[in-house]
Amino acid sequence: MKKSLLALSGVLLATTALAGCGGGQEKATAPAAEGDKGKDAAKAPVTIKVQGWYTEAQGNWNKTVEAYNKTHPNVKVVYESMSEKGDSQEGMKKLDLLAASGDQMDVIMYSSASDFAQRVGAGILEPLDEYLKKGNVNVKEEYKIDPAINGKYYALPGKMIEWFVMLNKDKLDEAKLPVPTEWTWNDYAEYAKKLTKGDGPSKQYGSYFHNWKDYAQLAQNNDVNNPYIVKDDGSENIDNPKVRFSLDLRNRMENIDKTSVPYFDVISQKLNYRDVFYAGKSAMLATGNWMVGELALNGKFKTVFAPYPKADAKDPNGYTEVGADFMGVAANSKHKQEAYDFVRWYTTEGIGIQGLFFSGWKKADIAQNVDAILKTGKPEVASLIDKESLLNTLKVNKATKLVIPPTYSLQQEKEFLSQVELYLTGKQDLDKTISTAKAKMEEIKKSNK
């Protein structure tokens, strides 16, 4: 088992490195005498490890697990970060190594449906159906998204990710532009023109797009039924007008209008999207709602919020791509019931106590969720968040279908992004980009049948 996981880990590391430390194994202790086993078990709580990529500053995990430990004296939950910088892809690599080495793993988090699906395929996660049945939990009724894979559950949604646009209010006021409440990507491009000024190192761009796949499918992200680059069955979903529009928009804004930070700068300078926005180098940033908690701690100026832009003015307002932290139980955990109990608690009550993220639990109150996040931040910094536009945006947000892709989708994503890079750096045209990516993605599907 360890050998096969170690071999698989090499494949996983190669793919996750292009998408986007842990505690050692506990030493075995001598077995207690037969008559002392019950007494020892009553004294010593079970230790459960929660492993993810968040730093303490990003995740407030110590406070969260302490709250759980106080009401569950039979367990001791500890959090271990897999990344010093809070980088999810670095965290994935280290989690893969832990799985391959056989070190203790109990509760594991993954940041995307693709990463999650691949690890399910690798046998790293325990099916949760029996635990859910025993607790009378109906996932579709309890949670905003349904993370089932082939009818089985291997995780519950932690933080709920919806997208919006953050705007620098000072820059907006200087350009005499109102806060959008409903707009298209063409409107966004016009805003970017009016928000771009200067030249050279001090240039202020209107927009910033990162090198994730989300920014290669801008107009597809709010397609209600097919918002991902592959469909449920693994067939490609990029040879369509919305992907073509998205890539053309980026090329136009970055290389022709020069109103968005060029892709070459993004990759060559290894830019961090947070830093670009905080430094005022970009007046707008399309991103996920995890940034509200980060703004409450690190914001530099008044920030307002607008709904995710639509592909067409006739489309309904507020549809946004969705995601989650997928929180599951390690297949090799020695304390699966205790690990599941923590997962269930965290994905319902725990996120509110954590006070940094938005909940995927249907019973969570949006306004209370926002207040908890703002309260967790620094008062003088959290006050820079425009609560009115944030709440207005969150209330109109509507989730697209969550696509849980096949386990090989990260390979397809890698091939797609390789072709996108060639296009955005001027090395090939749009037609070749789509046709080549399509062929490679279909070949990956065939080879994985």
Side-chain angles (χ1 to χ4, degrees):
M1 177 67 173
K2 288 184 182 179
K3 287 181 180 178
S4 63
L5 275 173
L6 187 58
L8 175 62
S9 180
V11 177
L12 296 180
L13 298 189
T15 55
T16 53
L18 286 154
C21 168
Q25 188 171 10
E26 290 186 333
K27 294 180 180 179
T29 55
E34 196 67 36
D36 293 335
K37 284 184 179 178
K39 183 165 58 176
D40 290 345
K43 288 181 180 178
V46 170
T47 297
I48 299 296
K49 290 187 176 182
V50 177
Q51 289 152 329
W53 60 93
Y54 295 103
T55 63
E56 177 58 22
Q58 289 176 326
N60 206 12
W61 280 99
N62 289 338
K63 171 187 172 183
T64 307
V65 299
E66 283 172 11
Y68 185 79
N69 291 340
K70 284 180 181 178
T71 55
H72 296 76
N74 62 315
V75 297
K76 179 184 178 184
V77 179
V78 295
Y79 175 75
E80 289 185 345
S81 175
M82 299 288 106
S83 171
E84 293 181 0
K85 297 180 180 180
D87 182 275
S88 62
Q89 292 308 310
E90 180 187 3
M92 296 306 102
K93 296 176 188 178
K94 291 183 178 178
L95 284 171
D96 290 340
L97 290 174
L98 281 182
S101 67
D103 282 10
Q104 182 185 354
M105 301 178 80
D106 298 298
V107 175
I108 323 172
M109 288 183 285
Y110 295 106
S111 65
S112 75
S114 306
D115 287 313
F116 166 57
Q118 194 170 51
R119 275 62 179 195
V120 168
I124 293 174
L125 290 164
E126 178 78 5
L128 301 181
D129 300 82
E130 289 302 315
Y131 302 96
L132 293 166
K133 182 178 179 182
K134 187 163 63 174
N136 294 316
V137 178
N138 185 316
V139 175
K140 292 181 180 180
E141 292 179 0
E142 288 265 339
Y143 296 92
K144 296 178 181 177
I145 59 175
D146 182 14
I149 296 182
N150 296 325
K152 286 190 173 184
Y153 291 98
Y154 296 86
L156 294 177
K159 76 178 185 192
M160 173 81 171
I161 300 170
E162 296 177 334
W163 282 57
F164 47 41
V165 178
M166 303 193 312
L167 304 95
N168 184 318
K169 184 62 163 58
D170 295 335
K171 311 290 186 188
L172 214 58
D173 289 345
E174 287 175 15
K176 295 182 171 56
L177 292 170
V179 179
T181 56
E182 182 172 358
W183 57 343
T184 66
W185 278 112
N186 284 328
D187 296 330
Y188 177 94
E190 288 302 312
Y191 263 59
K193 287 180 182 178
K194 295 174 182 178
L195 290 165
T196 298
K197 63 180 184 180
D199 206 355
S202 62
K203 180 174 181 176
Q204 171 191 301
Y205 288 92
S207 169
Y208 176 88
F209 298 126
H210 205 44
N211 62 335
W212 299 340
K213 61 90 185 169
D214 310 86
Y215 298 95
Q217 49 170 151
L218 295 166
Q220 188 183 37
N221 287 329
N222 45 17
D223 186 313
V224 178
N225 295 312
N226 290 297
Y228 187 53
I229 60 171
V230 297
K231 299 178 182 177
D232 292 332
D233 64 357
S235 59
E236 62 81 22
N237 190 30
I238 60 168
D239 192 1
N240 63 65
K242 289 187 176 180
V243 172
R244 288 177 177 273
F245 173 86
S246 302
L247 294 178
D248 178 70
L249 176 75
R250 280 199 63 175
N251 184 58
R252 177 161 38 98
M253 292 179 66
E254 294 175 10
N255 299 320
I256 300 173
D257 296 340
K258 302 186 185 304
T259 57
S260 191
V261 178
Y263 182 87
F264 182 79
D265 289 357
V266 174
I267 57 172
S268 64
Q269 299 177 29
K270 297 181 180 179
L271 296 178
N272 183 301
Y273 62 95
R274 299 173 178 87
D275 296 340
V276 172
F277 186 71
Y278 289 154
K281 297 291 289 182
S282 171
M284 298 189 295
L285 176 66
T287 188
N289 60 11
W290 66 82
M291 283 300 297
V292 177
E294 295 195 26
L295 283 171
L297 292 167
N298 305 304
K300 310 296 182 185
F301 42 77
K302 189 79 169 181
T303 300
V304 293
F305 302 83
Y308 196 77
K310 303 184 291 184
D312 188 282
K314 297 177 183 177
D315 293 341
N317 189 33
Y319 273 103
T320 161
E321 68 165 307
V322 295
D325 285 347
F326 297 88
M327 180 173 276
V329 175
N332 69 352
S333 172
K334 295 179 181 178
H335 308 290
K336 294 183 176 68
Q337 180 65 57
E338 291 86 353
Y340 166 79
D341 290 341
F342 178 81
V343 169
R344 173 66 176 153
W345 174 85
Y346 173 76
T347 59
T348 53
E349 303 171 45
I351 293 180
I353 293 171
Q354 192 174 28
L356 285 176
F357 306 124
F358 288 94
S359 177
W361 190 35
K362 286 184 178 180
K363 295 179 182 178
D365 182 272
I366 292 177
Q368 290 179 3
N369 211 159
V370 168
D371 287 341
I373 293 173
L374 298 184
K375 185 178 179 181
T376 301
K378 302 171 185 176
E380 68 279 9
V381 177
S383 64
L384 296 173
I385 293 174
D386 184 70
K387 186 175 175 181
E388 181 181 0
S389 64
L390 174 59
L391 282 173
N392 289 340
T393 296
L394 295 174
K395 288 175 181 177
V396 302
N397 274 1
K398 295 179 283 291
T400 58
K401 176 185 175 182
L402 175 68
V403 177
I404 304 290
T407 57
Y408 51 82
S409 64
L410 280 179
Q411 295 171 273
Q412 294 174 308
E413 190 174 302
K414 169 189 169 185
E415 293 294 349
F416 172 57
L417 291 178
S418 294
Q419 298 305 313
V420 169
E421 181 168 308
L422 292 174
Y423 172 61
L424 293 177
T425 53
K427 296 177 182 176
Q428 68 184 21
D429 63 23
L430 182 55
D431 286 337
K432 185 176 181 181
T433 297
I434 296 292
S435 62
T436 305
K438 177 181 177 179
K440 288 180 177 291
M441 291 167 70
E442 287 297 315
E443 182 59 36
I444 290 169
K445 179 187 175 183
K446 289 179 184 177
S447 67
N448 279 275
K449 276 189 177 181

